């Protein structure tokens, strides 16, 4: 505006025409009016979110209420967008001209694409005069944390453990006791209860016979998550896929009354002792939200893990992308101890391909990498490791169903 | 939407000088000014829009200077209003781009524009009337001293405007706490 005023005045002087002075009058009036306008943050902002705990892909509605104590010409509100989120409805930047005593609700909806602790409530307010010549920036902090948990895929069939524990569960134990699964028939012995008598066998054989039963027991399942290395774009790394798989397995086992524990094997060795119930499920998901790669050269020893975290008869499911040799060493160590170990290998090739530009050289590199991985996995299978491969776009249920295929009515030791 | 509002303003801005002096070379300059203004509007760029408006001022100055036309108050008011509104529309469009805008904002801004244009038109008419009365009362002699005085006055006006604008910062920043605010 000043440029135009200067040009008009200069040309007015040069040409000696009064019209060129007069055309500057509206611009000068605007400049003077803008100079006189006082900008003061006479308003209050309150920030709210519709949910503080959501799953990946869920929407969170953000509501900002603007209450002005005095007339404000124009106010611009902006909330920075956190990573792995996108605005699904509305806009995260809005302009208002609030009147005193008339609160304005500004709403927009965010979709959270990846697990994280989403920090909201940092709002930038910018007060403009009506001409847009003067501005006052004010930052508001009203922190709100939204925990975005990994998406949980429902799993109907799960790998069964070799041994069961002592609590009631869904697995038919090989041991005899109280249960509904019938076992052997044997002659009556003192101490047997009348309701155990098998009357059909008794009539046929002419003596008292009882039916033995196998009890239904639960199992301890320990998930070992490889956080030594990951590849892929943010929100779609091999670690994110591993975390989703671990969350799905944990939820499915907990739903079957099993006790589930978690070990994060990475730069920092973290664990959650096996437990059951809904609070424990939330504890596991909270741990999985924070799972991240912390680079280190230090080789972690599984001996550091206390026995209560890794019980002797537990089913151990390792979820890994097999990117770090140290994790392979830990797996071999576990298998050598006779642990009931299964390995879910998350293929890193789709995640790596997604961040690479398509080129013949890149495609060739990926094919070579796939061949090398097949060879490595084949070698691990020869070391008596039970391995299943999973390419993340593929439903996890399909992989787990292949894994859990076993003869009907098989009984488990314990 | 802002482009639809700005298009007639651009046409008015570059077309008004042609009513003073309809000439081919001036039409070429008007077309150039219109193109630059259009580019500024399409790109939501106030600097480019300012460049186009400056070309339009040059065009107007050339038209007035070459034609030796008598003093035209309506054209000056129209040109000044179009100039102000075009810059304001371009700036507002750039600021509001990609944001959700409450209807009250547009109403407040339009009211402000109309007020500025109205005050400007009244001031221009008053200045013209005072100048006409003063011209009838006393005619200054055309001398180098008069020219120097006029130039000094214009320079002082330009410095005053610059200080007026540059004296206070356009942006200020504070940190607030909404729970406290």
């Amino acid at each position: 505006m000043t440029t135009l005023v200067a040009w008009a005045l200069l040309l007015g002087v040069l040409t000696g025409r009064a019209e060129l002075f007069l055309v500057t009058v509206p611009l000068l009036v605007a400049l003077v009016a803008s100079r006189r306008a006082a900008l003061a943050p006479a308003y209050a902002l309150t920030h709210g979110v519709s949910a503080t705990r959501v799953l990946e892909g869920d929407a969170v509605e953000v509501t900002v209420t603007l209450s002005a104590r005095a007339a404000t010409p124009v106010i611009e509100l902006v909330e920075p967008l956190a990573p792995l989120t996108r605005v699904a409805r509305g806009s995260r930047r809005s302009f208002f001209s609030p009147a005193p005593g008339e609160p304005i609700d500004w709403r927009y909806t965010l979709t959270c694409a990846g697990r994280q602790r989403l920090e909201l409530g940092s709002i930038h307010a910018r007060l403009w005069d009506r001409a847009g010549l003067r501005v006052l920036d004010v930052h508001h902090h009203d922190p709100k944390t939204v925990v975005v948990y990994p998406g949980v895929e429902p799993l109907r069939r799960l790998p069964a453990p070799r041994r069961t524990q002592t609590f009631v569960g869904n697995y038919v134990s090989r041991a005899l006791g109280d249960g509904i699964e019938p076992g052997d028939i044997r002659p009556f012995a003192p101490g047997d209860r009348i309701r155990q008598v098998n009357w059909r066998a008794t009539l046929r054989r002419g003596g008292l016979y009882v039916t033995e039963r196998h009890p239904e027991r639960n199992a301890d399942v320990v998930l070992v998550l490889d956080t030594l290395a990951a590849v892929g774009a943010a929100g779609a790394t091999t670690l994110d896929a591993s975390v989703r798989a671990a969350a799905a397995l944990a939820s499915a086992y907990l739903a079957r009354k099993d006790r589930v524990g978690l070990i994060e094997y990475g730069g920092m060795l973290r664990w959650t002792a096996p437990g059951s119930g809904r609070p424990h499920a939330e504890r596991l998901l909270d741990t999985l939200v924070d799972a991240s790669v912390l680079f280190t050269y230090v080789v972690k020893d599984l001996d550091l893990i206390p026995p209560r975290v890794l019980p002797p008869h537990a089913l151990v499911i390792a979820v890994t992308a097999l990117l770090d040799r140290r994790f392979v060493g830990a797996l071999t160590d576990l298998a050598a101890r006779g642990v009931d170990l299964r390995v879910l290998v998350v293929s890193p090739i789709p995640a790596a391909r997604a961040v690479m530009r398509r080129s013949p050289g890149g495609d060739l590199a990926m094919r070579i990498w796939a061949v090398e991985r097949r060879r490595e996995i084949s070698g691990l299978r020869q070391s008596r490791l039970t391995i299943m491969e999973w390419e993340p776009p593929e439903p996890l249920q399909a992989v787990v169903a292949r894994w859990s295929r076993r003869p009907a009515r098989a009984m488990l030791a314990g | 939407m802002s482009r639809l509002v700005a298009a007639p303003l651009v046409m008015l801005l570059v077309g008004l000088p042609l009513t003073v002096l309809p000439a081919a070379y001036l039409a070429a300059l008007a077309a150039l000014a219109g193109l630059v203004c259009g580019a500024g509007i399409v790109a939501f760029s106030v600097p480019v829009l300012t460049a186009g408006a400056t070309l339009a001022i040059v065009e107007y100055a050339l038209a007035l200077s070459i034609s030796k036309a008598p003093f035209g108050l309506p054209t000056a008011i129209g040109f000044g209003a179009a100039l102000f509104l075009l810059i304001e529309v371009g700036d507002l469009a750039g600021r509001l781009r990609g944001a959700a805008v409450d209807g009250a904002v547009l109403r407040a801004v339009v009211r402000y524009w109309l007020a500025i244009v109205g005050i400007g038109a009244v001031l221009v008419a008053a200045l013209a009337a005072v100048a006409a009365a003063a011209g009838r009362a006393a005619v200054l002699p055309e001398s180098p001293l008069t020219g120097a005085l006029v130039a000094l006055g214009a320079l002082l006006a330009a410095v005053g405007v610059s200080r007026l604008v540059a004296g206070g910062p356009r942006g200020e920043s504070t940190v607030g706490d909404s729970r406290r605010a």
Side-chain angles (χ1 to χ4, degrees):
Chain A
M1 219 175 251
T2 322
T3 310
L4 295 174
V5 170
W7 271 101
L9 290 178
L10 176 69
L11 291 170
V13 170
L14 289 177
T15 59
R17 296 297 303 226
E19 290 93 331
L20 290 166
F21 291 96
L22 296 181
V23 297
T24 64
V25 171
L27 300 173
L28 288 171
V29 170
L31 286 171
V32 172
S34 166
R35 181 74 182 162
R36 291 176 63 84
L39 292 175
Y43 60 86
L45 282 179
T46 53
H47 189 276
V49 290
S50 61
T52 53
R53 296 191 297 177
V54 294
L55 291 174
E56 279 177 326
D58 284 356
V60 178
E61 190 179 62
V62 180
T63 305
V64 178
T65 305
L66 171 67
S67 309
R69 291 190 294 272
T72 307
V74 177
I75 182 166
E76 178 185 359
L77 298 177
V78 185
E79 181 154 17
L81 202 57
L84 303 176
T85 56
R86 64 178 183 82
V87 178
R89 200 174 67 233
S91 174
R92 65 180 184 89
R93 183 166 155 255
S94 280
F95 282 81
F96 300 101
S97 182
E102 292 176 16
I104 295 172
D105 280 344
W106 167 42
R107 287 192 176 87
Y108 65 94
T109 306
L110 286 178
T111 306
C112 313
R115 68 191 164 89
Q116 61 182 311
R117 294 188 190 274
L118 189 59
E119 297 294 338
L120 296 172
S122 177
I123 302 172
H124 298 266
R126 180 170 284 180
L127 279 79
W128 296 90
D129 70 338
R130 287 194 176 87
L133 294 173
R134 297 190 67 208
V135 64
L136 176 71
D137 280 326
V138 186
H139 297 173
H140 294 270
H141 301 291
D142 186 7
K144 297 279 186 306
T145 304
V146 178
V147 185
V148 184
Y149 292 115
V152 177
E153 184 185 334
L155 300 176
R156 297 178 65 188
R157 298 184 67 182
L158 291 166
R162 271 210 305 256
R163 299 184 190 88
T164 56
Q165 301 293 329
T166 51
F167 297 105
V168 174
N170 284 335
Y171 305 102
V172 178
S173 170
R174 194 177 291 173
L176 296 172
D178 287 336
I180 56 172
E181 191 73 22
D184 290 343
I185 297 172
R186 62 167 173 79
F188 182 86
D192 286 338
R193 284 174 287 182
I194 293 296
R195 70 173 185 175
Q196 286 179 277
V197 173
N198 187 327
W199 295 108
R200 184 174 293 177
T202 299
L203 288 172
R204 190 172 295 163
R205 302 232 175 180
L208 278 173
Y209 279 83
V210 294
T211 305
E212 291 182 317
R213 292 186 184 276
H214 296 285
E216 287 77 30
R217 295 286 183 245
N218 75 340
D220 281 352
V221 180
V222 177
L223 301 167
V224 183
L225 187 66
D226 176 6
T227 58
L228 285 166
V231 294
T237 62
T238 50
L239 180 59
D240 291 314
S242 301
V243 163
R244 282 182 206 117
L249 288 167
S251 299
Y253 278 112
L254 285 170
R256 299 175 71 150
K257 298 187 182 71
D258 293 327
R259 297 197 317 153
V260 179
L262 176 69
I263 296 170
E264 258 187 75
Y265 188 87
M268 189 180 285
L269 201 59
R270 298 196 305 164
W271 57 74
T272 306
S276 57
R278 193 176 174 80
H280 188 71
E282 290 183 3
R283 199 175 304 132
L284 288 175
L285 286 176
D286 266 329
T287 310
L288 287 171
V289 167
D290 298 324
S292 59
V293 173
L294 185 67
F295 183 77
T296 177
Y297 287 106
V298 179
V299 180
K300 302 290 179 186
D301 194 344
L302 286 171
D303 288 338
L304 292 171
I305 298 167
R308 65 182 176 83
V309 178
L310 196 56
H313 290 168
L315 164 65
V316 177
I317 300 180
V319 188
T320 174
L322 287 183
L323 293 169
D324 196 306
R325 297 297 304 171
R326 287 174 289 179
F327 196 78
V328 177
L331 291 179
T332 316
D333 182 23
L334 281 174
R337 291 187 206 175
V339 171
D340 181 9
L341 176 66
R342 323 283 166 91
V343 185
L344 178 67
V345 176
V346 181
S347 173
I349 292 172
R353 195 183 283 275
V355 291
M356 278 181 61
R357 190 181 295 169
R358 298 290 292 208
S359 68
D363 289 345
L364 180 63
M366 289 295 158
R367 287 207 299 275
I368 292 171
W369 193 15
V371 169
E372 284 179 350
R373 285 183 61 82
R374 272 204 295 276
R375 188 175 56 81
E376 184 182 11
I377 290 170
S378 168
L380 289 173
R381 281 194 177 120
Q382 284 171 2
S383 321
R384 297 195 169 275
L385 282 176
T386 310
I387 294 178
M388 287 300 282
E389 292 174 79
W390 177 43
E391 289 211 0
E394 178 188 15
L396 182 62
Q397 173 65 73
V399 178
V400 174
R402 286 201 296 272
W403 213 354
S404 55
R405 211 171 286 146
R406 63 193 174 92
R409 293 174 61 82
M411 287 184 197
L412 306 171
Chain B
M1 185 65 189
S2 58
R3 290 166 187 165
L4 289 177
V5 176
L9 290 172
V10 172
M11 291 177 71
L12 189 67
L13 192 71
V14 300
L16 274 175
L18 293 175
T19 62
V20 178
L21 178 64
Y25 54 88
L26 215 57
L29 187 56
L32 180 64
L35 275 177
V36 177
C37 284
I41 289 162
V42 168
F44 294 103
S45 168
V46 175
V48 176
L49 194 60
T50 305
T54 306
L55 283 175
I57 293 173
V58 172
E59 177 200 350
Y60 188 36
L62 278 176
L64 290 171
S65 176
I66 295 168
S67 69
K68 307 286 185 196
F71 178 72
L73 184 61
T75 312
I77 290 175
F79 191 86
L83 188 64
F84 167 72
L85 289 174
L86 180 64
I87 292 297
E88 283 290 306
V89 167
D91 181 45
L92 187 73
R95 276 189 287 143
L96 302 187
R97 188 183 179 195
V101 184
D102 190 24
V105 174
L106 295 178
R107 283 195 295 275
V109 170
V110 168
R111 272 201 304 272
Y112 165 78
W113 289 346
L114 292 178
I116 293 290
V117 169
I119 292 169
V122 170
L123 272 178
V124 166
L127 280 174
V130 168
R136 275 195 296 274
V139 177
L140 288 173
E142 286 190 12
S143 67
L145 181 65
T146 312
L149 283 173
V150 170
L152 183 65
L155 187 65
L156 286 175
V159 170
V161 168
S162 301
R163 287 196 58 187
L164 188 73
V165 176
R170 172 171 166 150
E172 297 166 34
S173 182
T174 59
V175 177
D177 188 337
S178 61
R179 290 165 293 188
R180 178 178 56 78

